[in-house]
Amino acid sequence: MPCAVIDLKASFMPTPSRVQLIDVGPRDGLQNEKQAVPASVKIELVHRLQAAGLKEIEVTSFVSPKWVPQMADNAEVMAGLQRQSGVCYSVLTPNLQGFEAARPTRPDEIVVFGAASEAFSQKNINCSIAESIERFAPVVQAALAAGIAVRGAMSCTVGCPYEGEVAPERVAYLAGLMKRIGVQRVDVADTIGVGTPLKVQRAIEATLQHFEVRHISGHFHDTYGQALSNTLAALHMGVFNFQSSVAGLGGCPYAKGATGNVATEDVVYLMHGMGIETGIDLEALVDAGVFISDFLGRKTQSRVATALLNKRAG
Ligand code: HMG
Ligand code: MG
C-alpha cells in the first residue's frame, strides 16, 4: 500500500501574528495547593506576571471556602493589587452570592464555569448543567449591567474524570446555552489533560457553532503531555487566546490526578519561536515562575524555564 502523503500547507490555516495569553496561575494554579499560600504571595505573583507583560490574569475565585479553602482570601488578594492600566483582572463566580462578593473588588471580568459532562458539573459545582445555566443567567445579567465582561469556562470538553470521552455534541450544547444567556467569550477546557489535537479541534469546531473564533480560548491541562500540541492544533484553527499557568502550576480539586495547565513559559517560547508576538518578556516570566516555585518548595513544571535556568546556572 502506498504511504499517505499529507499536504501540510492545505491542512494548516494561516497562523495569527499575535496571541493573547491569560495567566490562570494565581487561580487555577494555586486553588489546589494544600499548603497555605498567604495573600501577600498571591499578590506578589500577580505583580510579577503583569511586570512580565501579561495583559490578562485570572486572580482568584469567589467560591465556597468549604469547597476550595485556598481561595478564601479572594477579597484580600483583589484589594492588595496594584493595578496596571491595560491589564484585565478576572475572577470566577459560580453564582449570585459569588458575584455579589466579587463585585466590590472591581474585577474587569467574571467567569461562570460550567461543564460539558453532567457528572463533572455535579462534582464541581453541585448541580446539573441545566441548573448551572439557571444560576449563571442572573450573574451574567448583573455583570453586564455593571459593565463587567463575562467569560464562560467549559470544562471537560474532550474528557471527563467520571464519564470518560465527551462527544463534541455535548460541547456544542453547552456553548449554545452559554451564548443564550449572554456569555461573551468561552474557554474550551481540557480539564484533565487527556485531549489530543484532533479531539481538541473537534471541541473547538463544536464551539464555533455558537462563538466566533476571536471569542474562544484554549485552556489545556498537561496531564498527558499533550497541551502544547493541542495549543498548536487550536492555533492552526485561528484561535489566538490561550490560558496557561506560570511554572505549570495547578489542577482542579474535583478532577483527581489532573496536573496543572500548560506552562505559560512553554507557550511563550513556542509562540516566539514561530514568530508570533505575545508581548511577554520570557526571562521576567521565568523569574515569576521561580518566585512561586521557590515559595511552594518545588521545581517549576515548565520545561522551558528549566532549560533557561540550567543555561543561566551554566
Ligand atoms: P452548594 O453547596 O450547592 O451551594 O455549592 P449552596 O448555595 O447550597 O450554599 C451552601 C453553602 O455554601 C452556604 O454556606 C453558602 O453561603 C455557601 P453555609 O450556609 O453552609 O455556611 N456558598 C458560598 N460561599 C462563598 N461563595 C459562594 C458561595 N455559594 C454558596 N459563591 C458552589 C455550590 C458552587 C458554591 C460550590 O459547589 C463551590 O464552591 N464549588 C467550588 C468549585 C470550584 O471552585 N472548582 C474549581 C474551579 S473550576 C476549574 O478549576 C475548572 C477550570 O479551570 C476550567 C477547566 O480546567 O476545566 C475553570
Ligand atoms: Mg483548569
Side-chain angles (χ1 to χ4, degrees), residues 110 125 127 138 178 193 306:
I110 57 105
I125 51 176
C127 63
M178 291 262 187
T306 303

Side-chain angles (χ1 to χ4, degrees), residues 27-28 219 221 261:
R27 195 282 303 171
D28 202 343
H219 176 116
H221 286 260
N261 295 86

Side-chain angles (χ1 to χ4, degrees), residues 105-124:
T105 73
R106 297 186 299 111
D108 298 296
E109 181 177 59
I110 57 105
V111 185
V112 290
F113 49 105
S117 105
E118 281 294 347
F120 189 78
S121 181
Q122 288 289 354
K123 296 271 186 198
N124 196 39

